[in-house]
Amino acid sequence: MGLAPLIGMMLCGVIMRNPVGFNMVFYTGSALLLVGVILAFLLPRTEAKGKAESIDFKKIGVVAARKANIASYAAIFSQWFMMGVITVLLPSYMVDLGMTAFHVAMVMVATTAACVAFNYPAGLLSDKVGRKIPSIMGLALLVIAINLIPVATSFEELIGLGILLGVGMGCILPPVLALISDNTEKGERGTAMGIFHALITLGVAVGAPVTGVLASEVGSSLAIHLSTLIPMAAIIAVLVLVKAGLPQREVIVGGENE
């Protein structure tokens, strides 16, 4: 999730500086998707063993209801909700300042690069001090960076905020993902990760249209500020539901760590 958008945004920024502009971006994306389809057909075939299991909603509910998992899900949803906000409002805000699609792409590159750079240190920190501190730190930086966007008026300021935003995002993913591992058994992790990744998609899918509608009613600046209520709520969830200190597993009835 880190290198792919980083490379994609850099390519888009470079391509859009040329006369071919937007058309070439879509042609390039389509060509890459076609390559992916061809490679998928070349994958070795494997025969399915046994019958496909039906969805176990009870198991999903049990996994999702654990306190630490709730905090993890709230944090990752809020992160990608804010990505939806940025996707909708940042380009129009920058265009209003007289900037181009290239400038938008470069801010997003700065954000993604900072996110990638801080993933590993955040993971190390979460193993040293626990999941709570880096999670809260990342969410707090997210709130600060987003709230400062409406007061930024230059490309350099927006690049700086993009980096700050990326640092925050980079600090969130490793500890909240580790929380899932800390509080699930082997037979549950596929379910837990499925919920986790579904919330990534849901965050963007909800954040973008909700903020777009909100911006049309109250204006972009206020919509940006109001959107940070979501990561603020996630901070409260982490504060209340995640234990301080080194990783501790919840008591799982019937599990290995009961």
Side-chain angles (χ1 to χ4, degrees):
M1 289 191 295
L3 287 177
L6 176 60
I7 295 171
M9 290 171 191
M10 289 178 67
L11 286 175
C12 286
V14 172
I15 291 171
M16 285 188 291
R17 295 207 77 178
N18 295 320
V20 289
F22 286 99
N23 288 343
M24 185 55 68
V25 171
F26 290 107
Y27 294 149
T28 303
S30 299
L32 291 173
L33 286 172
L34 181 60
V35 171
V37 170
I38 294 171
L39 291 175
F41 275 109
L42 297 176
L43 290 173
R45 295 184 179 182
T46 56
E47 294 184 4
K49 296 181 179 180
K51 296 181 179 180
E53 295 183 4
S54 59
I55 299 175
D56 189 343
F57 290 103
K58 182 178 179 181
K59 183 178 181 181
I60 292 173
V62 169
V63 171
R66 290 184 191 134
K67 292 180 180 179
N69 290 352
I70 292 172
S72 175
Y73 294 148
I76 201 64
F77 174 82
S78 69
Q79 175 179 335
W80 288 90
F81 181 95
M82 297 313 300
M83 182 56 73
V85 172
I86 295 166
T87 302
V88 170
L89 297 184
L90 183 62
S92 61
Y93 178 73
M94 293 181 68
V95 168
D96 288 343
L97 292 175
M99 300 181 202
T100 66
F102 171 77
H103 296 99
V104 176
M106 290 303 100
V107 171
M108 297 304 293
V109 165
T111 300
T112 309
C115 179
V116 171
F118 272 81
N119 274 164
Y120 182 66
L124 288 178
L125 181 62
S126 75
D127 286 337
K128 295 288 186 182
V129 302
R131 318 305 187 196
K132 191 169 190 172
I133 292 175
S135 298
I136 293 173
M137 183 171 66
L139 289 165
L141 289 175
L142 198 67
V143 171
I144 293 169
I146 295 295
N147 273 310
L148 288 175
I149 286 176
V151 300
T153 56
S154 69
F155 178 57
E156 293 76 16
E157 289 173 346
L158 287 167
I159 285 287
L161 289 178
I163 293 171
L164 183 63
L165 179 62
V167 172
M169 293 175 68
C171 289
I172 295 170
L173 183 60
V176 299
L177 194 56
L179 268 176
I180 299 296
S181 179
D182 293 340
N183 293 282
T184 52
E185 300 299 335
K186 289 182 180 179
E188 301 171 329
R189 284 175 190 153
T191 299
M193 293 300 177
I195 299 170
F196 187 91
H197 286 280
L199 287 170
I200 290 176
T201 304
L202 185 63
V204 178
V206 173
V210 167
T211 310
V213 172
L214 191 60
S216 67
E217 296 294 328
V218 301
S220 296
S221 294
L222 183 55
I224 289 173
H225 292 311
L226 290 174
S227 69
T228 59
L229 292 173
I230 301 299
M232 287 180 187
I235 290 174
I236 295 172
V238 174
L239 280 170
V240 173
L241 300 176
V242 178
K243 296 178 181 179
L246 294 176
Q248 294 179 337
R249 295 164 67 88
E250 292 182 28
V251 175
I252 301 174
V253 177
E256 297 171 4
N257 62 331
E258 187 178 0

